[in-house]
Amino acid sequence: MYSNFKSFLLFTFFITAFYQGYSQEKPNFIFILTDDQSYGMMGCTGNEIVETPNLDKLANDGILFNNAHITSAICTPSRISILLSQFERKHAVNFNSGTSVSDEAWAKSYPVVIRNAGYYTGWIGKNHAPIGKGGYGSGLMDKSFDYWYAGHGHIRFYPKEVHDIFNDAIAHTQSEIINESIDDFLDPNERKLKGAIKFLEVRPEDKPFMLSINFNLPHGAGTGSMQMRKTDDEIYRTKYRDLDIPLPANYIAKKDIKTPKLPANVLKVENRQTGYNYADTAEGTIERYTRQLQAMTGIDRVVGNLRNKLKELKLDKNTVIIFTSDHGLFMGEQGLGGKALCYEKTTHVPMIVYNPNLKKKQRGKTSDALVQSIDVAPTMLSLADVDIPKEFQGKDISGLVEGNNAEVRDYVFTENLWSTQFGNPKIEAVQNKEWKYIRYYKNDMFPANKKIAAAKELDLKINDLLYKVHDTDIAIYRALSNGSLEGDKPVYEELYNLKNDPTELNNLAENAQYASIINEMKVVWKNELIKARGEGKPKVHRYTVDSESVSTYKSK
């Protein structure tokens, strides 16, 4: 009996050791997502002012995709697209959708799938994706990680002032608090953050890990709340302020606009969110741009510290790092401010993939392959040797990272379904490496300025009228989403030659010389739209002021 028991123990030991060794051979992952970072905000992407030596080195050690695009140029749908590897047209969640990601859909997100495959997972920084019944208040997302140190919604430049979870951090500014949390997640010997929600006291050394780091910078919620306090690092008080900062190329101040970029009945700029009004003047633009540069250098320092920490813990040789942004931002170029459009300024983002397991000759390269943010999840799962859910719409680009020239797509599809009182129309666009075709739909949304006027007259909260979503908005959003497939016609179209006109200054849609091109791109648009929509109903929960009122009433 004893002999059999001893044999059983030995067998169990060897099996456990085998699986632990197997787990350790799997790569670790760190995914870094910035907020509102346009493509040209780093040295490696052509910015001659900003100092980003660590990000530049990451690109030089890995591969820089210089033709990467998001799917929707708005925080929430873009971030959910990354999590679920789906176009917004399929996942159906936006600020105006009246929905949150259902439990069923969330079960197929990359954090849940990789955790179920044996990875230790963490989420740090910002979450702007409503997950589960009740959205941000459901607790579903928080509980889906082994380590959680984040705030729902914006965390701003001074996170302690908006989210209690960050109160135990020594630092006061966003990037530096995120840096403390990274160290807490990685290093068992670091000072422990009491606010962090952990399911284990320390990260298990025998399990691979996946850490998602989410900045709320250089987004306006962060840069707009910077105050140059005495306790701020020198970066955020004086850096770049001794330089003659230039205005963006093709900048036009609001007072100097003679012919708007888009017709007044298509883009109703008079209803734009006031948070982007800094772009209307040269002084406001330069001040905000200076803060964005400072924020980027702060983010860069975090990346440098991260890589040093990985090396110190001997994790650097088996940790894949992916860096990108949720979308870009207009800073007065062609008189435009904000996002939600399908131009390169808003859809084109940086993407760096660093895989230390590759040979040196496979690193330090630049690729112009068409890739998208929805490709991040399937690529990580592929490298982890984890089955990719059939619900994913993104492509595995690990072959491109390894130097395989076989590209994963011929066209990129982007969209804007955030058509609201703020003046943005519904937009759809398709592009290849040479041509981009954009179509705009009727914009008859009730205007923000009338809501603001009514709120002031009746002494109501302006933000309640502007931002709260009701059940009726669900139907409006569904009509926006389904309309194109049901035959809605565009009211305005654009065609750009991206090779000759990368900043999209000259619309060729009405030029008879390019009639065959635009007709060809219309066929592509329809095919890509159908693929983006996918099959089946969106897997969502109702998430509106009305649903929250019902929940509150029932709980009393």
Side-chain angles (χ1 to χ4, degrees):
M1 178 71 71
Y2 174 76
S3 176
N4 290 340
F5 180 68
K6 186 176 180 181
S7 298
F8 172 76
L9 287 178
L10 285 172
F11 174 77
T12 303
F13 171 79
F14 284 120
I15 287 295
T16 302
F18 171 79
Y19 278 109
Q20 286 181 345
Y22 178 73
S23 296
Q24 289 174 325
E25 289 176 4
K26 287 201 168 192
N28 305 308
F29 295 94
I30 295 179
F31 174 50
I32 305 171
L33 185 68
T34 59
D35 202 341
D36 281 20
Q37 182 191 340
S38 297
Y39 179 79
M41 287 290 289
M42 303 184 295
C44 60
T45 56
N47 194 305
E48 297 180 355
I49 301 173
V50 72
E51 295 177 19
T52 53
N54 297 298
L55 286 165
D56 299 344
K57 187 176 189 308
L58 186 69
N60 191 57
D61 290 342
I63 180 169
L64 170 66
F65 288 96
N66 61 18
N67 212 347
H69 289 76
I70 50 75
T71 53
S72 302
I74 290 290
C75 292
T76 286
S78 179
R79 286 163 183 261
I80 294 173
S81 290
I82 292 169
L83 285 163
L84 302 183
S85 187
Q86 293 178 355
F87 290 96
E88 181 188 345
R89 193 71 54 135
K90 182 172 177 61
H91 68 63
V93 180
N94 202 326
F95 293 116
N96 59 319
S97 66
T99 53
S100 62
V101 176
S102 73
D103 300 50
E104 182 183 359
W106 178 241
K108 298 298 182 179
S109 66
Y110 82 75
V112 174
V113 171
I114 205 164
R115 188 187 190 196
N116 289 340
Y119 271 71
Y120 181 79
T121 61
W123 186 278
I124 291 172
K126 168 185 174 177
N127 170 49
H128 220 155
I131 308 295
K133 199 164 188 176
Y136 298 112
S138 73
L140 177 59
M141 189 173 188
D142 318 34
K143 296 172 184 175
S144 297
F145 294 87
D146 298 301
Y147 181 98
W148 175 268
Y149 197 66
H152 297 296
H154 294 302
I155 62 173
R156 304 192 182 275
F157 194 69
Y158 304 102
K160 294 178 180 180
E161 297 180 0
V162 287
H163 295 287
D164 291 343
I165 194 171
F166 301 114
N167 284 344
D168 187 49
I170 295 172
H172 298 282
T173 47
Q174 181 188 142
S175 291
E176 289 60 45
I177 289 177
I178 286 176
N179 204 143
E180 285 185 50
S181 184
I182 292 170
D183 289 346
D184 183 26
F185 176 87
L186 291 173
D187 193 345
N189 297 315
E190 278 291 332
R191 174 182 175 272
K192 296 301 159 194
L193 293 167
K194 295 177 182 177
I197 300 171
K198 304 178 185 179
F199 289 89
L200 292 172
E201 186 59 30
V202 294
R203 177 180 60 82
E205 293 186 3
D206 61 345
K207 293 181 72 172
F209 65 81
M210 146 61 67
L211 176 62
S212 299
I213 303 169
N214 301 268
F215 288 93
N216 194 191
L217 289 168
H219 189 288
T223 54
S225 58
M226 294 170 73
Q227 296 180 5
M228 291 182 285
R229 298 176 181 175
K230 290 182 180 180
T231 53
D232 293 354
D233 189 278
E234 194 71 21
I235 289 175
Y236 310 122
R237 290 189 287 123
T238 62
K239 195 161 189 65
Y240 304 115
R241 293 193 176 278
D242 59 337
L243 302 179
D244 185 15
I245 303 292
L247 285 164
N250 306 307
Y251 175 83
I252 305 175
K254 183 178 180 179
K255 64 180 177 60
D256 297 326
I257 297 174
K258 300 291 190 294
T259 304
K261 172 65 174 173
L262 288 166
N265 67 324
V266 173
L267 180 65
K268 300 180 180 181
V269 293
E270 69 275 11
N271 292 302
R272 184 185 65 196
Q273 288 173 294
T274 57
Y276 301 118
N277 286 352
Y278 62 81
D280 292 343
T281 66
E283 297 78 14
T285 299
I286 289 173
E287 173 59 31
R288 186 54 62 90
Y289 185 45
T290 301
R291 296 182 183 200
Q292 290 174 347
L293 295 172
Q294 293 172 336
M296 285 306 307
T297 296
I299 290 170
D300 181 81
R301 182 169 61 183
V302 174
V303 172
N305 291 342
L306 164 65
R307 296 193 72 185
N308 288 337
K309 176 61 71 173
L310 291 173
K311 188 172 184 180
E312 174 191 328
L313 298 174
K314 295 182 172 52
L315 297 168
D316 56 314
K317 298 188 185 307
N318 197 33
T319 300
V320 175
I321 302 175
I322 300 178
F323 178 95
T324 191
S325 179
D326 60 354
H327 50 74
L329 183 72
F330 270 102
M331 297 286 291
E333 297 92 340
Q334 302 185 66
L336 298 171
K339 43 205 174 189
L341 301 171
C342 289
Y343 293 125
E344 292 295 285
K345 184 67 180 180
T346 48
T347 68
H348 184 199
V349 292
M351 185 181 290
I352 300 170
V353 181
Y354 165 67
N355 185 351
N357 295 307
L358 297 182
K359 297 177 181 177
K360 285 188 177 181
K361 65 180 182 180
Q362 294 172 294
R363 302 187 209 166
K365 298 182 180 299
T366 300
S367 171
D368 69 347
L370 291 168
V371 299
Q372 289 197 269
S373 54
I374 53 173
D375 299 337
V376 170
T379 300
M380 291 191 294
L381 294 187
S382 174
L383 291 172
D385 196 25
V386 174
D387 289 340
I388 297 172
K390 61 180 176 51
E391 291 84 356
F392 279 17
Q393 293 179 303
K395 307 291 185 181
D396 171 15
I397 61 171
S398 59
L400 288 169
V401 174
E402 294 167 0
N404 184 338
N405 292 326
E407 298 194 14
V408 296
R409 63 170 56 80
D410 297 319
Y411 298 95
V412 158
F413 175 82
T414 55
E415 60 186 331
N416 176 58
L417 295 177
W418 193 61
S419 183
T420 68
Q421 63 268 17
F422 294 115
N424 301 300
K426 185 178 83 169
I427 314 168
E428 294 155 351
V430 287
Q431 67 190 86
N432 56 22
K433 293 182 181 180
E434 183 173 8
W435 295 101
K436 178 187 280 190
Y437 168 61
I438 313 176
R439 47 197 286 142
Y440 300 82
Y441 294 86
K442 185 178 180 181
N443 187 355
D444 56 3
M445 292 296 171
F446 193 81
N449 55 19
K450 291 188 181 298
K451 287 189 175 184
I452 292 170
K456 289 179 177 178
E457 183 179 337
L458 298 173
D459 196 26
L460 302 173
K461 291 182 179 179
I462 292 176
N463 281 356
D464 285 355
L465 267 69
L466 293 178
Y467 294 102
K468 286 189 175 180
V469 179
H470 294 268
D471 285 348
T472 52
D473 293 304
I474 297 175
I476 294 171
Y477 177 84
R478 291 295 175 87
L480 284 170
S481 179
N482 297 332
S484 305
L485 292 166
E486 294 171 352
D488 283 359
K489 303 296 183 185
V491 297
Y492 188 70
E493 296 171 289
E494 292 176 309
L495 179 70
Y496 294 101
N497 186 310
L498 296 175
K499 285 189 175 180
N500 300 330
D501 182 21
T503 51
E504 298 161 311
L505 296 174
N506 303 306
N507 180 13
L508 304 173
E510 297 298 322
N511 190 324
Q513 180 182 346
Y514 301 100
S516 62
I517 298 293
I518 200 168
N519 287 333
E520 178 184 329
M521 295 300 282
K522 284 181 179 181
V523 173
V524 171
W525 156 78
K526 188 62 177 289
N527 291 335
E528 295 300 315
L529 173 66
I530 292 170
K531 286 194 291 185
R533 176 59 187 86
E535 297 180 355
K537 296 179 180 179
K539 296 178 180 179
V540 294
H541 292 305
R542 171 188 175 214
Y543 181 48
T544 64
V545 172
D546 309 302
S547 67
E548 293 298 285
S549 297
V550 170
S551 299
T552 303
Y553 177 77
K554 285 182 177 179
S555 67
K556 288 183 179 179

